[in-house]
Amino acid sequence: MIRALLVAGLLAPLLCRADVGLNIYGLSWHLDADKAQEKGVDHWFNPGLGVRYRVPGERFDYFFDVGAYRDSGRNTAVLAGGAAHWRATQSARLGLALVLFNSKTYNDGNTFVAPLPIAAWDFGPAQLNMAYMPKVSKVNDINTLGFWLTYWLR
């Protein structure tokens, strides 16, 4: 019991500074559209919802996401991951995410972890996000950009 209180006491300042946001998924742009169409992964409208938990910092923001959306192969994709965003400017963010991902469309339906380059533009009450999903043999056949919006619930 004392350990739990100690941990809660140490984490409380971080939790008080945290922001919670609603992720509204999105869109995808397949960089080789002909190949995407040939493989049946050309669905560009990818609706879904998720939650983002962000701890802002001076130079970096750290966040954790969980969510689900309809992917480019028209299957449900489920994800959970964490990332760091470097504050490149007052509004621009650049970073790297580590994402646990599952969908029948990718990696033969097996769950996998992927490092993804990410970027965002902060508009105050909302943030426009982008992730680059590179072509990786047997996991993802098409280089793709994914886009979604985070609306802060502050």
Side-chain angles (χ1 to χ4, degrees):
M1 179 69 170
I2 292 177
R3 284 186 190 165
L5 290 173
L6 182 59
V7 169
L10 292 172
L11 291 178
L14 290 176
L15 297 175
C16 293
R17 292 185 36 210
D19 299 322
V20 176
L22 176 66
N23 286 336
I24 304 166
Y25 304 108
L27 303 171
S28 59
W29 179 31
H30 306 93
L31 302 180
D32 187 347
D34 292 338
K35 187 173 181 181
Q37 186 175 21
E38 174 187 311
K39 293 195 166 281
V41 292
D42 60 339
H43 195 65
W44 61 270
F45 180 59
N46 312 112
L49 294 173
V51 175
R52 174 168 287 181
Y53 177 85
R54 175 179 71 176
V55 179
E58 280 185 43
R59 295 179 48 108
F60 290 90
D61 291 339
Y62 302 94
F63 64 87
F64 304 93
D65 284 353
V66 294
Y69 65 94
R70 192 83 167 152
D71 69 22
S72 297
R74 297 165 181 84
N75 291 303
T76 299
V78 179
L79 67 97
H85 261 161
W86 170 57
R87 294 172 169 251
T89 70
Q90 186 169 345
S91 298
R93 308 287 185 263
L94 300 171
L96 184 67
L98 195 58
V99 182
L100 181 70
F101 193 78
N102 182 274
S103 168
K104 290 179 183 176
T105 302
Y106 306 105
N107 198 35
D108 296 325
N110 296 312
T111 301
F112 63 99
V113 175
L116 300 177
I118 55 174
W121 191 264
D122 196 343
F123 292 100
Q127 189 174 60
L128 178 62
N129 303 280
M130 181 190 75
Y132 172 63
M133 293 154 279
K135 177 182 175 181
V136 176
S137 179
K138 298 183 183 177
V139 176
N140 180 27
D141 294 325
I142 311 294
N143 290 306
T144 306
L145 296 174
F147 301 91
W148 71 99
L149 187 71
T150 302
Y151 177 73
W152 299 109
L153 303 175
R154 300 178 204 225

